[in-house]
Amino acid sequence: MDSPLLVSSILAHAVKNHPRRGVVSRDGAEIVRFSYAAFGARVARLANALRRLGIEPGDRVASFGWNSHRHLELYYAVPSMGAVLHTVNIRLFPEQIAGTIAHAADRIVFVDGSLVGAVRAAIGADPALGECRFVIMGPADLTLPNAVDYESLIADESPEFAWPRLDENTAAIMCFTSATTADPKAILFSHRSTFLHALATAAADVFALAERDVVLPIVPMFHVNAWGLPFVCPLVGASLVMPGARLDPAGIIELVEAEGVTFSAGVPTVWFALRDALNARGAGLPSLERVVIGGSAVPPALFDDLEALGTKVIHAWGMTEMSPIGTVSTLTAELAAATPDVRRRERLKQGPFSVIVDWKILDDDGNAVAADGHARGELWVRGPAVAASYYNNDAASAAAFVDGWFRTGDIVTVDDFGFMEIVDRSKDLVKSGGEWISSVEVENALMGHPAVREACVFGVTHARWIERPIAAVVMRDGTAASEDELRVWLGERVAKWWIPDRVVFLDAIPRTGVGKFLKRALRERYAELLTSGGDVVAQNPSE
Ligand code: AMP
């Protein structure tokens, strides 16, 4: 009963009880396969190599890579030997990459061969990064300082390692928040929180993962541990399919069909592209039973399209600070008997809370808000997989962690069925003439227009109303709609005063490193749009 909950016990379980299930990984042009038994041996070799390189308990080791079998080996070897794996977001700016590695004090950085250029740029931003040792995964580009090749590093090591019986509260993984609204902040996950999160996430009303599943995580392993999937799958004996660097729709479709993938997960933007590709070929993916979509709200049009293609959409909400899963929109017994409209409405919400998340909703004065589906307030959470602070960042910690609770910054309602719905991110709310406008609702209405692929609504300064909404939209290929037409469309769907004052057309919406809309960049770009009286020039924010 007092066995500690350790990452190494998840690995040991998969090796002993699911030796023939395992990991499939796209490694450049090749597909490689390892049973969990063979995988376990590679993890042990890696741990032995790390020990030879001088890695001690508590040391930080960084990964800078795509979703691959080698990245998964790091997920198990580093924490299991008592060190901490820092999963660096490969899409940060060079200064941020160097900054997060310095903040974590990483001693060794494991880099995918195809990403060596990004690390070189980060060394350019901060030459101190060049002092680290680099291990190159996949294509052996050994041009970084002190670089060695991963396969050579582990080749002669023993396939056995006596995993230490650690205190379960030891840190296992460090991950930075995705910087939707501010600079990245670091979170440490412990062995215990990782184990409990994996157990809770496997549950039938959460991801419902089982041994028979074949799981393809599109969500990157540097985005909150790919939402726990690298731990949940070995824990239940499901196989993992790692897509490597190829995240284009054709590459995903090929893997799903070849490997019989049953389950996948990613942010809405990856599913836009996949949906369009499947619609273009006129056929869904029969093996793909369900996909988890989270990180941003699931647009209803995307939900309907994927379900029409035969894949069930599971809407999930979470945060880096929560390991990350907080709610999953699974229907309850009561709702199973409801009308199709009610069921769809509830499934589009973020859903009921996981067993490991306690919650409350407070208004601006700190009063509890009723769970009646209408009253809104900020969501506060706590639990065994919710962080208690940011690593080495007292100022940010003091603002976000109060009296044992974490302030999510999300503005929500909770209805009579226990389903939470995010109305907005507190920093993204648009306040027009003292009244709140839900940018999420306006975005969803816009994305319901047949010509609109993506829509992002944000507030800018207005002389009379203090703030008014602007919409940035990206059209679907080969379609067109005028600004007036979109505003008329909205007039039939949202309150008149919620209609954005302007609609700007872009080739792409700026994104965070994990694929979410970067509203901050749009707010800055269009800050004076309504006050300057200037013309709206469509610009590509990625330029
Ligand atoms: P991150 O830490 O990068 O996972 O970002 C967490 C934030 O993303 C949350 O606080 C929400 O604002 C947003 N988010 C995550 N999942 C959803 C969802 N299903 N619907 C709406 N917003 C979401």
Side-chain angles (χ1 to χ4, degrees):
M1 261 184 202
D2 39 9
S3 301
L5 305 176
L6 299 179
V7 165
S8 59
S9 23
I10 300 178
L11 176 67
H13 168 77
V15 167
K16 186 170 182 182
N17 300 297
H18 304 289
R20 287 185 294 280
R21 306 292 280 162
V23 188
V24 177
S25 184
R26 180 176 260 143
D27 193 18
E30 266 181 85
I31 302 286
V32 295
R33 291 164 200 284
F34 301 96
S35 64
Y36 280 131
F39 173 77
R42 283 178 57 90
V43 172
R45 286 181 201 277
L46 174 58
N48 283 314
L50 285 168
R51 193 159 56 187
R52 176 163 52 84
L53 294 180
I55 291 299
E56 302 278 345
D59 282 349
R60 264 81 66 198
V61 173
S63 63
F64 194 84
W66 305 107
N67 292 4
S68 72
H69 61 291
R70 296 189 188 92
H71 205 163
L72 192 69
E73 287 156 15
L74 285 162
Y75 259 58
Y76 281 91
V78 176
S80 296
M81 63 191 294
V84 181
L85 179 69
H86 166 206
T87 54
V88 183
N89 183 337
I90 62 172
R91 301 211 182 91
L92 297 178
F93 299 120
E95 301 73 30
Q96 289 179 316
I97 291 170
T100 55
I101 290 176
H103 190 80
D106 298 322
R107 297 193 44 207
I108 304 185
V109 186
F110 283 73
V111 185
D112 260 351
S114 62
L115 298 170
V116 161
V119 173
R120 194 174 298 113
I123 296 175
D126 177 5
L129 176 57
E131 307 289 309
C132 283
R133 184 184 274 274
F134 295 96
V135 181
I136 309 302
M137 307 186 281
D141 174 342
L142 300 181
T143 54
L144 291 175
N146 312 315
V148 289
D149 164 58
Y150 185 101
E151 293 301 326
S152 321
L153 180 74
I154 68 167
D156 297 329
E157 297 293 343
S158 159
E160 313 268 336
F161 192 102
W163 304 114
R165 186 184 160 107
L166 303 167
D167 178 335
E168 64 182 14
N169 291 305
T170 306
I173 296 208
M174 180 187 288
C175 180
F176 281 73
T177 60
S178 68
T180 319
T181 48
D183 270 341
K185 302 181 280 283
I187 294 290
L188 279 173
F189 306 108
S190 68
H191 284 259
R192 175 184 154 83
S193 70
T194 304
F195 196 109
L196 290 174
H197 180 268
L199 275 180
T201 305
D205 281 337
V206 186
F207 285 3
L209 280 165
E211 194 263 1
R212 50 169 284 279
D213 278 308
V214 179
V215 177
L216 189 158
I218 301 180
V219 49
M221 291 169 82
F222 54 77
H223 184 199
V224 220
N225 308 333
W227 302 348
L229 292 171
F231 298 113
V232 183
C233 293
L235 182 128
V236 298
S239 286
L240 269 166
V241 178
M242 296 303 199
R246 277 204 59 196
L247 298 174
D248 58 300
I252 297 292
I253 290 170
E254 195 181 291
L255 265 187
V256 169
E257 291 186 328
E259 302 301 328
V261 169
T262 60
F263 184 104
S264 185
V267 296
T269 45
V270 307
W271 303 112
F272 288 135
L274 198 72
R275 173 210 45 201
D276 292 352
L278 294 175
N279 277 339
R281 72 170 201 170
L285 292 164
S287 72
L288 189 63
E289 294 165 13
R290 52 212 202 281
V291 294
V292 169
I293 308 187
S296 308
V298 178
L302 180 67
F303 177 94
D304 292 338
D305 290 349
L306 287 174
E307 297 235 326
L309 285 163
T311 293
K312 181 177 174 189
V313 174
I314 302 170
H315 189 190
W317 164 81
M319 299 188 72
T320 305
E321 292 85 342
M322 301 172 66
S323 298
I325 300 301
T327 65
V328 171
S329 210
T330 306
L331 291 179
T332 55
E334 195 179 13
L335 281 164
T339 63
D341 278 357
V342 172
R343 289 209 301 266
R344 176 177 176 279
R345 183 192 73 203
E346 294 300 308
R347 289 184 57 208
L348 281 166
K349 295 187 177 183
Q350 280 70 16
F353 289 89
S354 158
V355 62
I356 51 172
V357 178
D358 187 16
W359 58 274
K360 63 182 180 181
I361 318 173
L362 300 184
D363 66 17
D364 287 347
D365 302 321
N367 301 314
V369 160
D372 61 2
H374 299 289
R376 49 162 68 179
E378 184 181 352
L379 177 63
W380 296 49
V381 294
R382 64 180 177 189
V386 179
S389 65
Y390 294 113
Y391 174 73
N392 276 358
N393 188 338
D394 292 343
S397 298
F401 300 92
V402 182
D403 297 337
W405 291 83
F406 167 61
R407 301 184 64 160
T408 65
D410 284 333
I411 306 299
V412 309
T413 61
V414 173
D415 68 19
D416 202 32
F417 300 112
F419 278 53
M420 186 274 279
E421 181 173 22
I422 298 208
V423 186
D424 231 321
R425 186 97 195 119
S426 59
K427 289 180 184 147
D428 291 338
L429 279 168
V430 183
K431 200 168 196 181
S432 169
E435 298 289 337
W436 295 115
I437 294 175
S438 163
S439 60
V440 177
E441 248 179 82
V442 183
E443 285 164 2
N444 283 342
L446 273 169
M447 286 190 268
H449 188 283
V452 176
R453 178 165 170 179
E454 296 173 25
C456 180
V457 172
F458 53 97
V460 300
T461 307
H462 187 277
R464 175 159 180 214
W465 301 111
I466 316 282
E467 200 173 51
R468 286 292 300 156
I470 302 287
V473 297
V474 176
M475 307 307 276
R476 292 196 193 198
D477 292 343
T479 63
S482 67
E483 182 171 357
D484 281 347
E485 192 180 330
L486 293 180
R487 298 181 78 247
V488 169
W489 167 271
L490 284 178
E492 292 158 6
R493 288 167 178 81
V494 301
K496 287 275 176 296
W497 60 279
W498 284 27
I499 301 172
D501 283 21
R502 297 300 308 263
V503 179
V504 295
F505 295 90
L506 303 179
D507 292 339
I509 291 176
R511 299 189 192 294
T512 67
V514 295
K516 301 186 196 192
F517 293 159
L518 191 55
K519 295 197 178 188
R520 189 162 36 106
L522 287 172
R523 272 196 297 267
E524 282 163 17
R525 177 178 300 249
Y526 295 107
E528 289 170 19
L529 186 63
L530 301 179
T531 46
S532 63
D535 289 335
V536 183
V537 184
Q539 296 173 67
N540 180 353
S542 56
E543 282 165 4

